[in-house]
Amino acid sequence: MDPNPLLLLALLALAVAEPPPTERAALLSFLSQTPHESRIKWNSSASTCDWVGVTCDPNRTTVTALRLPGAGLVGPIPAATLSHLPSLRILSLRSNRLSGPLPSDFSNLTLLRNVYLQDNLLSGPFPPAIPLLPRLTRLDLSANNFSGEIPFSLNNLTRLSGLFLQRNHLSGSLPSINLNSLTSFNVSYNALNGSVPRSLDRFPESSFAGNLDLCGGPLPPCAPFFPAPAPSPEASAKSSSGLSKKAIIGISVAGGVFVVLLLALLLICCVFRRRRRRRRDKPKVDLPPPPPAATGVVGETSRSGEGDDGETNRLVFVGKRGYNFDLEDLLRASAEVLGKGSVGTSYKAVLEDGTTVVVKRLKDVAASKPDFEGHVETIGRVADHVNVLPLRAYYYSKDEKLLVCDYLPAGSLSALIHGSRGSGRTPLDWENRARIAMAAGRGLAHLHSAGIVHGNLKASNVLLRDDPDSAALSDFGLSPLFSPSTVPRASAGYRAPEVTATLKTTFKSDVYSLGVLLLELLTGRAPNQAVTVGGGDEEGVVDLPRWVQSVVREEWTAEVFDAELMRYPGVEEEMVGLLQVAMSCVSTMPDSRPDAGEVVRMIENVVGRAGDDDGNAPSRGGSGAPTPPAAATP
Ligand SMILES: *[C@@H]1O[C@H](CO)[C@@H](O)[C@H](O)[C@H]1NC(C)=O
Ligand SMILES: *[C@@H]1O[C@H](CO)[C@@H](O)[C@H](O)[C@H]1NC(C)=O
Ligand SMILES: *[C@@H]1O[C@H](CO)[C@@H](O)[C@H](O)[C@H]1NC(C)=O
Ligand SMILES: *[C@@H]1O[C@H](CO)[C@@H](O)[C@H](O)[C@H]1NC(C)=O
Ligand SMILES: *[C@@H]1O[C@H](CO)[C@@H](O)[C@H](O)[C@H]1NC(C)=O
Ligand SMILES: *[C@@H]1O[C@H](CO)[C@@H](O)[C@H](O)[C@H]1NC(C)=O
Ligand SMILES: *[C@@H]1O[C@H](CO)[C@@H](O)[C@H](O)[C@H]1NC(C)=O
């Protein structure tokens, strides 16, 4: 009659076997701190292991899994709750409305294997706790609001087989996650940029789709210096078999893998050209002998060999300061697009030894090789003035025309004036604006004195150095390299009215552009963004000079000046003076514009005092100023 004592004991044992109270408390604490739908009822008189969504180990001594998908959980995951479940192996809280970051104490859950948090509103940087979970095999954080970079330390998760990060706001470049265990991978629909690392290019295109600017791997190739000119199948086969897999991985870490492929193509091209050239007659190359100063360190790019072998397709250095690299170094450099302009694309190239240069890839060059070389040598020779960005080297082949110049990390005047106004940026004060105006004027006067028309003067071609007096003009004198129909004729907003008709930039049209630049410094307005006139009787949109004219015609009003300048007392007189200089430069009649040298003198007269208290300001008095002989219009 008595119940079997053994059975009772067993039942008792079962009922008593219970995870430690800390785990029970942790779960209750999690649920009580996380608003949720009333469906989840954890009966406090029942065993923890019987609660909905809770799984224990077979002995019922510890919680090993928590699954509450689609349970209507809302809000942040509270800290010091789930982290008290030391045996947790599976955590699924997907398809809820959890928000905020993952608590950092998740790093205590060192046995976690599967984490499913997709389809929530979790945010913040990639959870730092995740790379510290050594047993992680599947991680799904997709469809959340995570931002920032994907950490390289994911490489520590040597058991990871599935990584799902799609549909977040992750940015930066994709680290080389090199895990053999990884079989599923998805980072689509984030804001990633840069190249797909070689270690991940086995995954399909849809793993990477919908990002900001990812390239390479299964995606379209990254923008290189040298385009892939319709690669022949042999060429690509050759290059991929020519490099060991290890080498490729190593190189891809440095980000240059695509460039290597192109290098191979280029070499093939060169060999081909060399052969063809040997068959041809020695071409007539009638170059002016380079002046002694114009032969750089790589003067051994022996111009003597020109014509009878492939030597001509090498990087030719100009100017005094020598760089110590060659074309192959350049091709191996990691490159970043700085901008696309009317003459081509500019890249910032970081060579393996850390040297940083700007490489301009010119498009639609019409000049023949001798003309190109002659003209570029001329440009290189004049660039020995602090306010002119020196050209360092060039490269000319049938398919590629490159110019190499110094890289100035401080960026352009355009970025300084117009970049991110308001947000914590220190406004450019009057003295610095005046000094940059002076520098631009001196640079232009120097070019004109050497007989070179800038042709494309604008704020983004005024590059800054730490010292505003050393701001330098870039991208000058390139017009003769292009055919009259494609020639860049100064950017809209800076283009003198007569240039539209004559298709020709002149010294006087440069002065017009300089005037617009001065107006830009004074008004803080971008000339290539037309200004809308409030009135209504005139046409709605005018260019910057006409807008300034319309404002000042009524009265000399402070309204025309950049609001950021109005906080500096006692400079209005100088500002008005510079405005008058600018207005004389933007006269519609070319002949009534002053010469660049005169403009320099006028600016000196107006703002000469601005730098007097500053001992470094060179030649403020004007004696040493590079005021060239008045240049004639070509
Ligand atoms: C909780 O569990 C006990 C016994 O396991 C049961 O008697 C009670 O009805 C349950 N309460 C609820 C609200 O389900
Ligand atoms: C759980 O039971 C297994 C045998 O089924 C045993 O080896 C193990 O030590 C037990 N674990 C604990 C914590 O009691
Ligand atoms: C996490 O682990 C550390 C050290 O192992 C410990 O000091 C801390 O109390 C733990 N935190 C939680 C919430 O368990
Ligand atoms: C995502 O996070 C950003 C801030 O990081 C926030 O502005 C945005 O509202 C969030 N989006 C959602 C859907 O929560
Ligand atoms: C990853 O592992 C390396 C060595 O294995 C270690 O030095 C590094 O601190 C680890 N990183 C993280 C985030 O755990
Ligand atoms: C990616 O974008 C960031 C900022 O948007 C930028 O700093 C970085 O240079 C970019 N990287 C590449 C490879 O384009
Ligand atoms: C990656 O995720 C996106 C968006 O959810 C999906 O469309 C795509 O098919 C996924 N690709 C892979 C390889 O899983």
Side-chain angles (χ1 to χ4, degrees):
M1 286 290 189
D2 281 353
N4 186 331
L6 277 178
L7 183 62
L8 186 66
L9 251 177
L11 279 173
L12 270 177
L14 251 180
V16 161
E18 192 41 26
T22 51
E23 298 192 14
R24 189 180 169 88
L27 286 167
L28 287 172
S29 167
F30 168 73
L31 206 58
S32 69
Q33 291 182 55
T34 312
H36 56 277
E37 284 170 8
S38 51
R39 268 185 285 137
I40 316 172
K41 287 216 175 69
W42 285 347
N43 185 344
S44 52
S45 42
S47 163
T48 312
C49 297
D50 295 333
W51 287 351
V52 170
V54 179
T55 306
C56 294
D57 69 333
N59 315 359
R60 298 170 65 97
T61 55
T62 185
V63 175
T64 56
L66 177 62
R67 292 187 186 88
L68 294 172
L73 299 166
V74 179
I77 300 176
T81 56
L82 299 183
S83 53
H84 290 303
L85 301 172
S87 314
L88 201 63
R89 285 167 174 78
I90 299 171
L91 176 64
S92 169
L93 299 174
R94 68 184 162 83
S95 308
N96 283 292
R97 273 176 292 147
L98 295 168
S99 56
L102 210 56
S104 61
D105 59 14
F106 259 61
S107 55
N108 281 25
L109 300 174
T110 50
L111 299 182
L112 262 183
R113 286 196 312 242
N114 297 27
V115 173
Y116 305 105
L117 294 173
Q118 67 267 35
D119 222 348
N120 277 291
L121 301 167
L122 297 169
S123 60
F126 192 96
I130 294 288
L132 304 173
L133 304 174
R135 291 169 186 245
L136 214 53
T137 56
R138 265 185 119 69
L139 174 64
D140 197 334
L141 301 179
S142 62
N144 275 291
N145 196 9
F146 287 112
S147 52
E149 303 203 343
I150 300 174
F152 182 79
S153 51
L154 283 178
N155 277 307
N156 283 18
L157 305 179
T158 50
R159 301 185 183 189
L160 199 61
S161 67
L163 179 58
F164 305 92
L165 304 176
Q166 66 268 28
R167 298 190 181 279
N168 277 284
H169 296 112
L170 298 165
S171 59
S173 59
L174 203 47
S176 292
I177 297 173
N178 200 356
L179 295 169
N180 294 334
S181 53
L182 200 59
T183 52
S184 306
F185 178 79
N186 202 333
V187 291
S188 58
Y189 302 98
N190 278 289
L192 301 166
N193 66 1
S195 59
V196 172
R198 196 38 88 103
S199 57
L200 293 172
D201 70 2
R202 62 182 186 274
F203 295 105
E205 188 177 347
S206 73
S207 293
F208 304 97
N211 273 291
L212 193 63
D213 196 12
L214 273 184
C215 56
L219 302 174
C222 301
F225 291 158
F226 288 79
S232 60
E234 312 91 79
S236 34
K238 210 170 214 168
S239 70
S240 55
S241 66
L243 285 165
S244 78
K245 192 155 186 154
K246 243 184 195 156
I248 288 177
I249 287 169
I251 293 161
S252 83
V253 169
V257 68
F258 189 68
V259 170
V260 169
L261 182 77
L262 289 162
L263 175 65
L265 280 173
L266 185 90
L267 288 178
I268 291 163
C269 269
C270 280
V271 168
F272 177 67
R273 275 182 60 83
R274 188 177 303 192
R275 286 209 194 109
R276 210 176 41 177
R277 176 159 283 193
R278 282 202 179 120
R279 267 184 268 120
R280 265 190 316 183
D281 287 340
K282 182 175 170 174
K284 187 176 164 299
V285 181
D286 201 8
L287 276 176
T295 319
V297 159
V298 193
E300 84 251 16
T301 54
S302 58
R303 315 176 53 87
S304 53
E306 198 163 297
D308 52 32
D309 59 18
E311 292 281 33
T312 48
N313 282 354
R314 293 184 63 176
L315 207 54
V316 181
F317 283 77
V318 296
K320 283 177 202 138
R321 179 180 150 196
Y323 273 115
N324 217 351
F325 58 85
D326 59 22
L327 186 61
E328 290 176 17
D329 294 329
L330 202 57
L331 292 171
R332 272 198 301 268
S334 70
E336 179 188 320
V337 176
L338 287 175
K340 289 188 178 149
S342 48
V343 299
T345 305
S346 295
Y347 303 83
K348 170 187 170 186
V350 183
L351 306 182
E352 276 166 354
D353 70 356
T355 308
T356 306
V357 292
V358 172
V359 178
K360 252 179 236 303
R361 221 179 117 203
L362 304 178
K363 61 168 195 231
D364 302 330
V365 168
S368 67
K369 184 163 184 179
D371 289 349
F372 182 93
E373 290 179 333
H375 186 71
V376 170
E377 295 273 358
T378 312
I379 294 177
R381 241 171 287 150
V382 301
D384 58 350
H385 186 282
V386 66
N387 299 129
V388 167
L389 187 74
L391 178 74
R392 297 304 191 187
Y394 65 87
Y395 169 87
Y396 186 107
S397 74
K398 186 167 136 283
D399 304 313
E400 279 303 335
K401 285 92 190 161
L402 306 179
L403 299 179
V404 179
C405 352
D406 286 354
Y407 172 72
L408 302 189
S412 76
L413 177 61
S414 178
L416 190 62
I417 302 185
H418 308 297
S420 63
R421 281 209 159 209
S423 60
R425 142 189 174 279
T426 24
L428 189 55
D429 67 14
W430 170 246
E431 189 194 325
N432 280 311
R433 289 190 205 210
R435 288 164 73 175
I436 292 169
M438 194 69 230
R442 286 179 177 150
L444 190 66
H446 174 76
L447 289 179
H448 287 188
S449 69
I452 290 180
V453 173
H454 188 299
N456 197 10
L457 184 57
K458 55 180 173 178
S460 56
N461 283 340
V462 177
L463 303 182
L464 303 171
R465 296 188 170 102
D466 288 344
D467 170 13
D469 296 320
S470 308
L473 305 186
S474 71
D475 269 13
F476 48 85
L478 299 180
S479 308
L481 302 177
F482 301 89
S483 82
S485 55
T486 64
V487 67
R489 284 170 281 113
S491 296
Y494 295 89
R495 190 183 302 145
E498 76 275 8
V499 174
T500 312
T502 62
L503 301 185
K504 206 166 180 312
T505 51
T506 60
F507 293 150
K508 292 294 190 184
S509 71
D510 273 355
V511 169
Y512 181 94
S513 305
L514 179 63
V516 176
L517 186 81
L518 298 180
L519 292 178
E520 190 172 3
L521 279 164
L522 287 161
T523 62
R525 291 171 184 263
N528 41 12
Q529 285 166 8
V531 192
T532 308
V533 175
D537 44 343
E538 260 184 285
E539 75 183 70
V541 167
V542 298
D543 63 12
L544 188 52
R546 282 176 57 205
W547 176 76
V548 172
Q549 263 154 2
S550 72
V551 174
V552 297
R553 205 170 22 228
E554 327 216 321
E555 53 184 309
W556 287 95
T557 167
E559 201 190 314
V560 79
F561 296 119
D562 189 346
E564 284 187 348
L565 287 174
M566 301 319 286
R567 70 183 75 178
Y568 305 105
V571 298
E572 193 159 340
E573 196 188 321
E574 288 182 5
M575 287 172 14
V576 169
L578 192 64
L579 187 64
Q580 281 166 329
V581 177
M583 293 315 283
S584 69
C585 294
V586 296
S587 164
T588 44
M589 301 304 297
D591 288 340
S592 40
R593 294 174 205 149
D595 291 328
E598 280 169 51
V599 177
V600 170
R601 282 187 290 275
M602 287 156 76
I603 301 177
E604 274 170 353
N605 286 339
V606 170
V607 300
R609 280 149 291 150
D612 273 358
D613 46 340
D614 180 345
N616 322 332
S619 62
R620 195 49 98 170
S623 59
T627 45
T633 311

